[in-house]
Amino acid sequence: MMKQRIVQCLKSLTVHTIMLSSNKKKEVVSNLCSSPAPLTSHLPDGLSRRRQEFSVSSSRNRFSICIFQHSLSSMAPRKKLQGLVAATVTPMTPDGQINLSVIRQYVDYLVSKQNVKNIFVNGTTGEGLALSVQERKQLAEEWVHQGKDKLDHVIIHVGALSLLESQELARHAAAIGASGIAVMAPFFFKPTNKDELIAFLRAVASEAPAVPFYYYHIPPLTGVKIRVEELLDGIKEQIPTFQGVKFSDTDLLDLAQCINKNDREEFVFLYGVDEQLLSALAIGANGAVGSTYNYLGQKNNMMLQAFAQHDLALARKYQFLTGEFLNFVIKLGFGVAQTKAVMTFVSGIPMGPPRLPLVQASEEFITKAKAKLDGIVWPTN
């Protein structure tokens, strides 16, 4: 099989993607599958083959060869991950298939309408755990491809109940040039202590040893309540690529202890409870990852700006108004399905239904939520 002929570069540090024509695709696949010659002999003309290895990945719309350069000095400097990160919705067709065709429009909408240039793909909002491995790969490829030169960071959530699947997704994210990977704790067979959790995280992170790694802490869904403060002790020695935490819990004491210990600002802490973001900023969070930033990104950016300018009264206004909307829809029943509905009427991009067992938002919800959001009077200064 083709996959058995592909070299996975565990020390890949830069990625160059070459778009291939359909004929070239067939030629390369044929060569890879049949020839005992070194894989690098099948690179398209014009590419240097000096100490390079590559892997092949494909999706419905394109086929790419990813070339890995083995040189730490060649790694391009990355911008610091901070500010707002939109936890992206996974667009689906009416019959429940992933809809890659609208992702380019989605990227442009986030950048131009919400001023959000960081995304978190295949997480909770993206229904990642309800998708197949192949679907998750296709989505990751499309977001990275469409976000090139438009987005600052594309973080791919690669967590799964199966360690092998999570490792496969981590290798794939590295191959396509993702800015970072994130992993939540497995939640059927759960780790019961820090050492067990770190062992799982390390086993995934080691498959993408040049890619920044983030722990996705979401105990309300995983049931894994190991405190992050405890997890951080000595974690760099265990996971050299560890960069920070998506902290999706209301335990601000735990978050505060993490930030207090992070006096050298070695790690980033991105808060994941949208209605409490201002509280997390006051403690010292670097930014936030959330679904709300898909459709209220601009307003929350204004809150971040007010906070940075020490205008706490204005920052509060934005937080209270965001909270007013979320409080209203939570009382109606609010989850991933309803987030998709809100995103559809705010962005004009059809997000489609969720995947079972989630069910589509009702027309009553859509009417009430739209009226509430339209009726909010935001600060003008």
Side-chain angles (χ1 to χ4, degrees):
M1 294 177 63
M2 182 178 71
K3 288 184 178 179
Q4 296 173 324
R5 298 279 305 153
I6 291 172
V7 175
Q8 292 292 349
C9 287
L10 296 181
K11 296 182 179 180
S12 59
L13 296 174
T14 60
V15 179
H16 179 58
T17 302
I18 303 97
M19 307 307 294
L20 298 179
S21 66
S22 178
N23 288 337
K24 177 59 74 174
K25 167 183 174 178
K26 293 177 182 177
E27 176 187 334
V28 174
V29 171
S30 175
N31 288 339
L32 281 172
C33 294
S34 62
S35 172
L39 292 177
T40 49
S41 67
H42 304 304
L43 291 177
D45 293 339
L47 289 175
S48 169
R49 296 170 181 158
R50 182 177 58 86
R51 301 188 64 184
Q52 296 179 333
E53 294 176 293
F54 68 99
S55 70
V56 177
S57 63
S58 64
S59 72
R60 183 182 305 173
N61 295 329
R62 69 184 186 281
F63 183 85
S64 62
I65 290 183
C66 300
I67 309 302
F68 301 98
Q69 306 273 5
H70 294 269
S71 171
L72 182 61
S73 62
S74 67
M75 176 181 269
R78 292 186 175 98
K79 293 183 180 180
K80 182 178 180 181
L81 179 58
Q82 59 187 352
L84 298 184
V85 183
T88 56
V89 167
T90 292
M92 292 188 181
T93 61
D95 62 350
Q97 301 302 307
I98 59 171
N99 185 5
L100 303 178
S101 67
V102 301
I103 289 180
R104 179 177 182 179
Q105 185 183 358
Y106 196 161
V107 170
D108 291 342
Y109 157 82
L110 286 174
V111 173
S112 64
K113 300 298 184 182
Q114 300 299 337
N115 193 27
V116 172
K117 295 185 177 181
N118 306 305
I119 60 172
F120 188 91
V121 176
N122 291 339
T124 303
T125 302
E127 304 174 79
L129 275 296
L131 304 172
S132 70
V133 168
Q134 185 59 28
E135 287 175 322
R136 292 175 71 171
K137 287 182 178 182
Q138 290 174 342
L139 285 159
E141 289 176 21
E142 194 68 19
W143 279 108
V144 168
H145 175 61
Q146 298 298 346
K148 185 180 180 185
D149 300 326
K150 296 178 182 178
L151 299 174
D152 292 336
H153 293 271
V154 179
I155 309 301
I156 307 297
H157 173 243
V158 300
L161 297 184
S162 161
L163 173 61
L164 296 182
E165 288 183 1
S166 194
Q167 290 174 321
E168 180 180 348
L169 289 166
R171 291 192 295 269
H172 177 264
I176 63 174
S179 312
I181 58 174
V183 175
M184 67 169 62
F187 52 85
F188 188 80
F189 295 113
K190 298 181 179 70
T192 60
N193 56 52
K194 167 190 170 180
D195 292 339
E196 291 174 1
L197 177 56
I198 287 181
F200 182 87
L201 300 178
R202 182 176 62 237
V204 179
S206 64
E207 295 297 310
V211 181
F213 181 89
Y214 301 87
Y215 171 51
Y216 181 5
H217 180 61
I218 185 166
L221 289 184
T222 64
V224 177
K225 299 180 180 180
I226 299 164
R227 290 173 63 82
V228 179
E229 174 198 5
E230 179 185 357
L231 188 73
L232 292 181
D233 290 335
I235 198 165
K236 266 291 192 180
E237 288 70 38
Q238 298 281 348
I239 305 174
T241 53
F242 187 87
Q243 294 294 306
V245 180
K246 178 184 186 297
F247 194 101
S248 297
D249 190 23
T250 56
D251 187 352
L252 292 176
L253 175 59
D254 188 17
L255 177 63
Q257 292 304 302
C258 292
I259 294 170
N260 185 45
K261 286 184 174 182
N262 189 42
D263 54 346
R264 292 185 297 167
E265 298 185 353
E266 186 177 13
F267 306 131
V268 298
F269 294 93
L270 302 168
Y271 197 55
V273 184
D274 304 0
E275 59 271 27
Q276 296 182 358
L277 174 54
L278 185 56
S279 300
L281 292 175
I283 289 172
N286 305 90
V289 181
S291 59
T292 309
Y293 315 128
N294 283 286
Y295 54 88
L296 288 177
Q298 185 65 42
K299 305 305 182 186
N300 279 272
N301 269 315
M302 296 300 292
M303 182 178 74
L304 264 62
Q305 181 179 323
F307 181 79
Q309 295 174 349
H310 308 291
D311 190 342
L312 184 58
L314 181 58
R316 278 176 173 171
K317 287 182 181 179
Y318 281 107
Q319 182 69 93
F320 289 159
L321 290 172
T322 296
E324 180 181 331
F325 174 73
L326 292 175
N327 186 54
F328 178 82
V329 293
I330 286 170
K331 289 178 179 178
L332 295 177
F334 191 61
V336 171
Q338 290 73 26
T339 298
K340 285 188 140 179
V342 173
M343 260 300 285
T344 296
F345 70 68
V346 172
S347 69
I349 305 169
M351 294 297 162
R355 183 159 288 177
L356 289 171
L358 302 180
V359 295
Q360 201 157 0
S362 67
E363 288 301 322
E364 180 184 8
F365 171 87
I366 294 170
T367 299
K368 290 182 176 180
K370 187 176 188 306
K372 180 63 177 178
L373 191 56
D374 290 345
I376 293 178
V377 180
W378 298 93
T380 55
N381 54 332

